Amino acid sequence: MVDPTLQSLFDEVVARNPGEDEFHQAVREVLDSLTPVAGKHPEYASVIQRLCEPERQIIFRVPWVDDSNTVRINRGFRVEFNSALGPYKGGLRFHPSVYLGIVKFLGFEQIFKNALTGLPIGGGKGGSDFDPKGCSEGEVMRFCQSYMTELYRHIGEYTDVPAGDIGVGGREVGYLFGQYKRITNRYESGVFTGKGMAWGGSQVRTEATGFGTVFFVEEMLKASGQSFDGRRVVVSGAGNVAVHAIEKVHQLGGTVVACSDSSGYVVDEEGIDLGLLRQVKEVERGRMADYVERRGQGAHLVSDGSIWDVPCDVALPCATQNELDERAASALVHNGCLVVAEGANMPTTPAALAVLREAGVRFGPGKAANAGGVATSALEMQQNASRDSWSFEYTENRLGEIMRGIHDRCLETADEYGMPDDYVAGANIAGFTHVADAMLAFGVI
Ligand code: NDP
Ligand code: 2IT
C-alpha cells in the first residue's frame, strides 16, 4: 500500500483479526483504492479505522435434530457491520465453508455496495456452516427454525434486515420468516427480503442480482461502443445469480456457452438451455451431469478443469469468492475476453485482477455489478413499508435505473480521482465517501 497511514491501519486489521484471510483481502482492496482520498481528506482516517470494526458480531449455537434422530450442532453468525445509512442489510449464507472471516468479508463489502445503491441501507451479513446439500426438506426446515430461534432477537425492520445468499433461497426464507412471525407474534414484512410473492415479496427480487449484473455490463459495453448482441458469454455457477444472468444475456442477444456448479462445468455451444437448467437445478436440485445427460449431444461436462478456459467475450463469475485466479485471468486474456464483471462477491483474486488490469480488460467489481440484488431488497422494504406492491415492469425499470446510476457514479468518481475507467476505484471511493460523510456527521460513535 502506498499510503503509510492506510498501511498501518491495514496492519492493525490483520493483527486484530487473525486467520480471517477473506476479510483481510476485502479490507485491503478497499484501502488500496482509498489512497487518493486519504491524501485529500485526512479527516477520514479515523472513520476508516472505525469502518473496519463491526458495530456488533453475534455468534451462536444452532442445535437441530436430523432425520435419524441425531442431535446436530452448527454455528450461526450475524455480523452487524455498519448502520450509518440505514438498518443493517445483507444476506445469510448457508455453506460448510462459512466461518467468521467469510461473514466479515461479506459484511464489509456490503457496506460499500449498499451505499452505492443510493438507498437507505446499512451493511451486515450472516449465515451458518450448515450444509443444506443432501438434507431432507424436514431437516432444512428444522435447521432454519432453530437458527431463527436465536436470530430473531437481533433483527427487525428498523434494526437488521436479512435476505438470501448462497444456500439460502425462497424455501429457506419461507422457513426463517415463518419462525420469526411465530416467535414475535408480529407480521413484520420488512424484517426480511426475498420473500415469496404471496407473503410480502417483491417482483424481480429473485431475478435482481443476475439481471442487475447484466444491466451493469450492458453499460460497460456501451461505454466502449459495444453491446451484448452476438457476444459469447461464460457464467460460472448455476444458482440464483447465474441463472438470471443467463436469462438476461439471452434476452439481450448474447449467448451463454458455459456454466457450472461445484461438480464441474458444462459447455453448450448452442447456448445454455435455460428451461432445462432451471428444471435440473431449481426443481430437482440436481447436478450439472444431469443437465448434460438430458441435453444430449452438443453439451459436454468437464469435471476437473477451469470454466475460464472456455473462450468468451464476457466473463461473469457468479458462484463464489476467489473462483477466478491468476491462471484463469491469463486464459481469459489469451482468449480475447473484453469484460469481466462480478455477479458473485469477491470471485476474482487480487493477482487475477492485476492480470486483467494489465491487459486492459474492463472489470466490474461485485460491489457495483451485483448491487442489483440488495437494491431490489430495498425496493421490497419500500413496498412493505407502504403496504403496496409494484408490477414486474415498474420494478425492473427501477432496477435498470439504479444499475445505470451505479455505473455512472463509478466512472465519474474514478475520473474525479484521476483514474479513468477504473471501476474498482470508483466503486470503493464512491461507496466509502457516502458512508464516511454520514459517520463524520454522527460524531464519534
Ligand atoms: P446459490 O446458492 O443460489 O448458488 C451458488 C452457486 O455457486 C451454485 O451453483 C454452487 O454450486 C456454486 N458454488 C457455491 N460455492 C461453491 C464453491 N465453493 N465452489 C464451486 N462452486 C460453488 O447462491 P447465489 O447464486 O445466491 O450466490 C452466488 C454468488 O453471488 C455468491 O458469491 C453470493 O454472495 C453472490 N450474491 C448473491 C446475491 C443474491 O441476491 N442471491 C446478491 C449479490 C451477490 P453447488 O450447488 O454445487 O454448491
Ligand atoms: O450479497 C448480497 O448483496 C446479497 N446476498 C443480497 C443481500 C440482500 O439483502 O438482498
Side-chain angles (χ1 to χ4, degrees), residues 96-157:
S97 64
V98 167
Y99 76 107
L100 187 59
I102 296 263
V103 182
K104 278 167 70 177
F105 116 65
L106 290 163
F108 185 75
E109 296 260 305
Q110 201 84 47
I111 304 171
F112 308 99
K113 182 196 304 191
N114 294 6
L116 271 178
T117 66
L119 298 163
I121 40 180
K125 202 83 184 192
S128 174
D129 57 2
F130 172 69
D131 187 0
K133 268 199 209 90
C135 283
S136 69
E137 284 281 327
E139 289 174 328
V140 170
M141 181 183 75
R142 292 194 294 280
F143 174 80
C144 289
Q145 290 176 339
S146 179
Y147 182 88
M148 185 53 82
T149 300
E150 173 58 34
L151 188 71
Y152 89 94
R153 67 185 91 247
H154 307 289
I155 63 176
E157 68 173 310

Side-chain angles (χ1 to χ4, degrees), residues 100-398:
L100 187 59
I102 296 263
V103 182
K104 278 167 70 177
F105 116 65
L106 290 163
F108 185 75
E109 296 260 305
Q110 201 84 47
I111 304 171
F112 308 99
K113 182 196 304 191
N114 294 6
L116 271 178
T117 66
L119 298 163
I121 40 180
K125 202 83 184 192
S128 174
D129 57 2
F130 172 69
D131 187 0
K133 268 199 209 90
C135 283
S136 69
E137 284 281 327
E139 289 174 328
V140 170
M141 181 183 75
R142 292 194 294 280
F143 174 80
C144 289
Q145 290 176 339
S146 179
Y147 182 88
M148 185 53 82
T149 300
E150 173 58 34
L151 188 71
Y152 89 94
R153 67 185 91 247
H154 307 289
I155 63 176
E157 68 173 310
Y158 297 111
T159 317
D160 183 355
V161 183
D165 193 80
I166 290 178
V168 178
R171 173 181 67 171
E172 291 74 18
V173 173
Y175 296 144
L176 290 161
F177 179 71
Q179 183 73 351
Y180 181 85
K181 187 177 80 58
R182 180 186 186 201
I183 296 175
T184 60
N185 193 30
R186 282 160 65 87
Y187 206 109
E188 187 187 341
S189 304
V191 72
F192 226 101
T193 61
K195 300 182 295 295
M197 284 311 299
W199 36 281
S202 172
Q203 296 283 3
V204 194
R205 176 59 191 92
T206 311
E207 295 84 355
T209 310
F211 278 20
T213 300
V214 174
F215 289 149
F216 191 88
V217 175
E218 199 184 13
E219 294 305 302
M220 293 176 78
L221 287 165
K222 261 194 215 155
S224 52
Q226 293 159 325
S227 78
F228 263 112
D229 203 26
R231 296 288 177 200
R232 276 174 70 90
V233 181
V234 168
V235 175
S236 65
N240 171 272
V241 180
V243 159
H244 296 100
I246 296 170
E247 182 179 351
K248 190 50 81 181
V249 168
H250 285 175
Q251 281 176 19
L252 295 180
T255 305
V256 177
V257 293
C259 67
S260 61
D261 64 15
S262 57
S263 69
Y265 69 91
V266 58
V267 182
D268 191 340
E269 289 289 341
E270 295 290 297
I272 297 291
D273 178 338
L274 193 62
L276 177 59
L277 183 68
R278 297 188 70 162
Q279 173 66 26
V280 168
K281 298 303 294 185
E282 292 174 359
V283 180
E284 298 165 19
R285 295 183 188 267
R287 314 301 292 155
M288 291 316 302
D290 303 317
Y291 173 92
V292 169
E293 196 186 303
R294 304 254 276 282
R295 179 75 163 146
Q297 281 181 353
H300 68 273
L301 182 73
V302 181
S303 43
D304 57 354
S306 162
I307 191 171
W308 311 115
D309 288 338
V310 179
C312 63
D313 304 309
V314 176
L316 304 179
C318 295
T320 194
Q321 64 277 353
N322 293 327
E323 54 160 312
L324 198 166
D325 61 11
E326 189 175 5
R327 200 203 69 80
S330 301
L332 288 170
V333 169
H334 176 78
N335 289 327
C337 179
L338 303 167
V339 173
V340 175
E342 299 184 320
N345 286 309
M346 208 171 74
T348 313
T349 66
L353 181 54
V355 170
L356 299 174
R357 271 199 170 126
E358 174 70 26
V361 174
R362 289 177 89 81
F363 180 79
K367 282 185 205 86
N370 72 38
V374 76
T376 308
S377 279
L379 301 183
E380 182 172 332
M381 292 162 71
Q382 264 185 52
Q383 292 167 79
N384 293 151
S386 58
R387 302 188 187 280
D388 196 0
S389 84
W390 308 338
S391 70
F392 192 96
E393 196 190 359
Y394 175 78
T395 316
E396 191 182 14
N397 284 338
R398 291 281 305 261

Side-chain angles (χ1 to χ4, degrees), residues 46-99:
S46 78
V47 175
I48 299 174
Q49 191 182 18
R50 272 185 285 152
L51 257 172
C52 295
E53 184 71 20
E55 289 176 17
R56 193 174 296 108
Q57 308 182 55
I58 301 145
I59 304 181
F60 50 98
R61 180 171 71 201
V62 189
W64 55 285
V65 179
D66 70 16
D67 286 348
S68 59
N69 250 347
T70 304
V71 174
R72 305 271 289 267
I73 303 295
N74 284 98
R75 190 169 284 176
F77 301 89
R78 186 73 183 167
V79 173
E80 298 180 333
F81 226 116
N82 193 291
S83 60
L85 300 181
Y88 309 107
K89 183 80 196 90
L92 299 176
R93 177 178 290 191
F94 292 169
H95 192 273
S97 64
V98 167
Y99 76 107

Side-chain angles (χ1 to χ4, degrees), residues 8-26:
S8 76
L9 285 178
F10 178 69
D11 293 342
E12 195 184 317
V13 167
V14 173
R16 281 170 68 82
N17 303 278
E20 298 175 2
D21 295 348
E22 296 83 358
F23 178 52
H24 304 162
Q25 184 182 333

